[in-house]
Amino acid sequence: MKRKIAIIADGWRRHITYVWIRGCRNYIKEHELDIEISVFHSFGNFSRDEKFNAGEYNIIHLPDLSQFDGIILEVTNMLNQKKRQQIIRIIQESGVPAVSLLEKIPGLYHAGLDNYATMEQMVEHLIVAHSCKTLNYVGRTGRQPGKSFALAGL
């Protein structure tokens, strides 16, 4: 029996997240699995026109998610929190097992990284082995346009 998986994703600054799609396809091929992938990809971060972006996010209303055996979700870069929560709610209400890539979302499985311990080891190494006294960190601070990254002295 053919299994069906939906991938729901938003563009990363106008880029298609094809690597995850290709990875899924390669795994299916290597393991000779009978799985069909359907991709529902929006570009809601593409334009500064809110109506255009809202239209892009309407892709979530096209599939009947209850007809899928699993869902892969990636909405890390969605700026519109209202639409983001709507998409998550639709997936949660579908009753289909779903995995969120990169971030933890209540009610969904999670596939991502927790590199806290690694960063801690790197900082300790810089201080102890190299006598560093000033460290700077550049990282994400939130989802607000124009405030994506910050530089902090440690």
Side-chain angles (χ1 to χ4, degrees):
M1 181 173 117
K2 185 176 283 284
R3 299 285 186 177
K4 293 171 58 175
I5 296 175
I7 297 177
I8 299 170
D10 191 34
W12 280 45
R13 302 283 193 249
R14 302 183 180 156
H15 297 287
I16 294 175
T17 50
Y18 71 91
V19 175
W20 296 317
I21 299 166
R22 186 177 63 206
C24 288
R25 293 182 68 203
N26 289 346
Y27 185 88
I28 290 166
K29 184 178 178 181
E30 289 169 12
H31 292 87
E32 299 178 4
L33 301 173
D34 193 17
I35 296 176
E36 173 184 298
I37 296 175
S38 298
V39 179
F40 303 94
H41 197 283
S42 70
F43 287 97
N45 287 332
F46 185 78
S47 174
R48 292 181 189 209
D49 180 343
E50 288 303 315
K51 289 182 180 179
F52 173 88
N53 293 340
E56 283 289 313
Y57 289 129
N58 280 332
I59 196 166
I60 190 66
H61 300 291
L62 292 178
D64 177 358
L65 294 179
S66 68
Q67 300 299 306
F68 288 88
D69 298 294
I71 300 169
I72 298 171
L73 174 67
E74 199 296 293
V75 290
T76 304
N77 287 312
M78 282 187 72
L79 300 176
N80 185 324
Q81 291 303 302
K82 185 177 177 182
K83 287 290 185 184
R84 182 179 181 279
Q85 289 305 317
Q86 179 185 36
I87 290 169
I88 291 168
R89 189 185 77 253
I90 290 169
I91 291 169
Q92 290 169 328
E93 291 173 355
S94 74
V96 175
V99 61
S100 168
L101 300 179
L102 305 178
E103 66 180 289
K104 294 178 182 176
I105 296 175
L108 276 60
Y109 294 98
H110 172 250
L113 303 171
D114 180 1
N115 63 359
Y116 185 88
T118 303
M119 292 298 289
E120 186 177 46
Q121 290 172 357
M122 288 174 40
V123 169
E124 182 177 350
H125 174 79
L126 290 170
I127 293 170
V128 173
H130 301 286
S131 302
C132 292
K133 303 224 184 295
T134 302
L135 302 174
N136 292 301
Y137 175 77
V138 177
R140 274 187 85 90
T141 60
R143 299 190 189 312
Q144 299 150 347
K147 296 184 179 181
S148 296
F149 294 91
L151 176 63
L154 303 174

